[in-house]
Structure formats: structure tokens, C-alpha cells
Amino acid sequence: MLRAASHQVSRKVLTDSARRSVPNANSRLFHATTLREEETKTVAVAPSDASGFKWEPIYSVPLGLAFAVPALKYEWIVVNEEVQLAACFIAFTAIVYKQFGGAIYEALSAEGDRLIEEHNKVEDEVIHMLQDKIDDIKFQSRLVQDAEEIKQLKLQTYDMLNEAGKIKPLYDFKSQMERMLTIIQNEEANMTEKAKHSLMEEATAGVTSQFLSSADLKKRSLANAIASLKGTKASGDVVKDAYLQFFKSKTAEASKIDPKKESAEARAVMAQKMNAIAKSEGFFFEIGADGKPKMVV
């Protein structure tokens, strides 16, 4: 019976000390989650009624003595080693609670705060890692979308290149044909100028040979020169007449030549030159014997 009583007294003392030492508002300090504002609010304690009875601890002394005398007299409580050990334990618990309860609470509270701070830091690191992982996943999803857009752009580019591939040969053929016509035009102009210079050189050489071989022409030319110096009217321009006579003779000779044959020979020479240019520049065509272009690709 004494052991049961001591056990109940010890249990009551420890329960009361725990209730007084640890406030209800701080009961969640060791939880990983953050305290909510509603939980941290101080609960207002209603003041006790002044007219009611208030138990004072000093009343326990006479009551204890009054209970102890008959208990010891009639051996309700046997004072042996168990009772003494229980009394020492209760006294030790009360002294520790009174003298060191606050220090123990503060030490445990500080340790709890430190553990919570470390736990919050670890949680923050985990949250940052998860956030980085989420951002990485979003970035990878955007990469897939970008790859799809690049693929579509490639397909559109290929379609545009195919369309350009249909038009470009025609454009190149047009450019080559314009270049060929320009070359032919320039070549014909050069040939005309060369023919003029050749004809004038031949005419000059012919008229000069005539004047060198004919005394009458020299005499008439000298008379025209003297008349020109005197300012009198000459009988005629001998040099001009000689040139006109030369051109008349050349016209007569040219009328005897077959124009078709001469044109064919000129066209063949021109085609040979143009084909050499077309081959060197990679044209899509060449000039045939009939003077018409023929595709070679």
C-alpha cells in the first residue's frame, strides 16, 4: 500500500511540475511545421473569484502532521527503506524543480530552437533543390517545344528551297541568255567597227596608190590645192572622187558575193566564239549551226 501511495504522490508531483514548467503555447516548439498565428496567441485566463476559497500550500503542513501521527501510530504507513527512498526521491524532485526547473527548461528550449533552426535550414535547402528541379523540368519541356518549332521551321525552309529550286534554273537561264545576247551585240559592233576600219584602210591605200601611179591625178590634185589657197573655185575634188570610185567598185564586188553564204560563214564564226564562252562559263545551252540555242543540261 505504501508503494502505491508513493507512486501516486510522485506521479502527481511530476504532472504538476510539467504543467507549470512548460506553457501550453510552447508545446509545439519541437514540431517541424511553423506555428500558426492562432496557436501562438496567449490564452487569457479568467481571474479567480475573490470571494471563493483559495488553497494555500502552508495548510498542507498541519494537515500532513495530523495525518502522519495516527498513520505512524496505527502503522498505516510503515517507515522502512522503501518509504525513506520514496521520500528522498520526492524531496530531490521538488528541490530540482524549484531550484533548476527554469534552467533545465531554458536549456531544453534553446536546444529545441537550435534543432528547429537546423531543420528549417535543411528544409529550405530541400525546397530550393526541388524548386531548381521544377525549373529544370520546365526548361526541358520548353526545349521540347523549341525543338518542335525548329522542326516546323526546317520543313518550311525546305518547302521554300524547293520552290526556289524550281525558279532558280529559269532565272539562271534568263541571265545566261541576256549575257549571251549582250556578248553577241558587242561582238557584232566590234566586227562592224573592224570592217569599217579595214575598208577605210583599204580605200586609203588604194587611193594613195592611184595618186602615186597617175600623173594626171597628181596634176589635178595640185591644181585643186592652188585654187583652194587662192580662194577660187576648183573644178572638182579629185580625192573625194577617187574615194567614191573606190567604194563604187567595192560595192560592185560585194554584189557578186552570195549574201546567204557570207551570213552563214559569219554565223558559224560567231557561234564558235559564243559556244566557247558558254562552255567556259557553264551555260545551260549552246548555239547551234542554224544560230538557235540548244539546251545541253
Side-chain angles (χ1 to χ4, degrees):
M1 186 179 75
L2 180 60
R3 182 179 298 176
S6 63
H7 178 69
Q8 291 179 359
V9 170
S10 301
R11 183 178 178 183
K12 180 174 178 55
V13 170
L14 291 175
T15 304
D16 293 338
S17 64
R19 289 177 180 176
R20 288 193 297 270
S21 61
V22 182
N24 189 25
N26 296 328
S27 62
R28 293 179 56 86
L29 284 174
F30 297 99
H31 288 267
T33 56
T34 308
L35 292 177
R36 293 181 298 178
E37 184 178 358
E38 292 80 1
E39 296 176 351
T40 58
K41 291 180 180 179
T42 304
V43 179
V45 179
S48 60
D49 189 2
S51 62
F53 176 75
K54 183 177 180 181
W55 179 263
E56 294 292 339
I58 195 64
Y59 298 158
S60 301
V61 175
L63 289 177
L65 292 174
F67 175 75
V69 171
L72 294 174
K73 175 66 177 176
Y74 297 104
E75 295 184 352
W76 294 344
I77 298 175
V78 179
V79 181
N80 54 11
E81 62 276 6
E82 293 181 355
V83 175
Q84 294 176 1
L85 180 62
C88 291
F89 178 75
I90 293 171
F92 173 76
T93 304
I95 292 171
V96 169
Y97 171 73
K98 288 293 185 181
Q99 299 297 327
F100 305 103
I104 294 173
Y105 169 75
E106 291 178 358
L108 293 177
S109 178
E111 183 67 17
D113 293 339
R114 185 184 65 81
L115 292 175
I116 290 175
E117 184 178 359
E118 292 179 357
H119 185 71
N120 290 335
K121 288 182 180 179
V122 174
E123 283 185 343
D124 291 338
E125 292 178 358
V126 173
I127 291 172
H128 288 309
M129 292 174 61
L130 293 176
Q131 187 64 39
D132 293 339
K133 189 67 176 177
I134 293 172
D135 295 339
D136 186 48
I137 293 174
K138 291 181 180 179
F139 179 73
Q140 290 179 0
S141 64
R142 288 196 297 268
L143 286 179
V144 174
Q145 184 178 0
D146 294 340
E148 292 293 334
E149 293 178 355
I150 292 173
K151 182 179 179 182
Q152 295 296 328
L153 184 60
K154 283 184 178 179
L155 294 176
Q156 295 177 2
T157 304
Y158 290 152
D159 294 337
M160 294 174 64
L161 289 175
N162 291 331
E163 294 297 328
K166 296 177 182 178
I167 299 173
K168 191 174 185 305
L170 300 177
Y171 176 79
D172 293 340
F173 179 73
K174 175 178 175 293
S175 300
Q176 294 173 5
M177 185 62 69
E178 290 178 351
R179 175 166 171 73
M180 181 64 72
L181 293 176
T182 303
I183 294 173
I184 292 174
Q185 182 181 3
N186 294 333
E187 188 66 23
E188 288 180 349
N190 292 333
M191 291 176 64
T192 302
E193 291 296 326
K194 288 180 180 180
K196 288 180 180 180
H197 287 291
S198 178
L199 184 60
M200 288 301 298
E201 289 177 357
E202 185 179 358
T204 302
V207 171
T208 302
S209 62
Q210 289 180 8
F211 273 88
L212 291 177
S213 61
S214 175
D216 183 54
L217 290 175
K218 291 179 182 180
K219 183 179 179 181
R220 291 171 59 190
S221 176
L222 181 59
N224 288 335
I226 293 171
S228 177
L229 291 174
K230 290 181 178 181
T232 59
K233 185 177 180 180
S235 60
D237 193 347
V238 181
V239 178
K240 180 180 178 181
D241 294 338
Y243 272 102
L244 291 175
Q245 186 62 35
F246 176 81
F247 287 132
K248 287 180 181 179
S249 62
K250 294 298 289 184
T251 302
E253 292 177 1
S255 61
K256 297 178 181 179
I257 301 174
D258 188 3
K260 293 182 179 181
K261 182 179 179 180
E262 184 180 11
S263 177
E265 292 177 355
R267 185 169 56 246
V269 174
M270 181 68 73
Q272 185 177 2
K273 293 181 179 179
M274 295 301 103
N275 289 334
I277 296 174
K279 185 176 181 180
S280 64
E281 297 188 7
F283 285 0
F284 298 157
F285 62 92
E286 63 180 11
I287 305 298
D290 55 353
K292 296 180 180 180
K294 295 181 179 181
M295 302 299 294
V296 294
V297 293

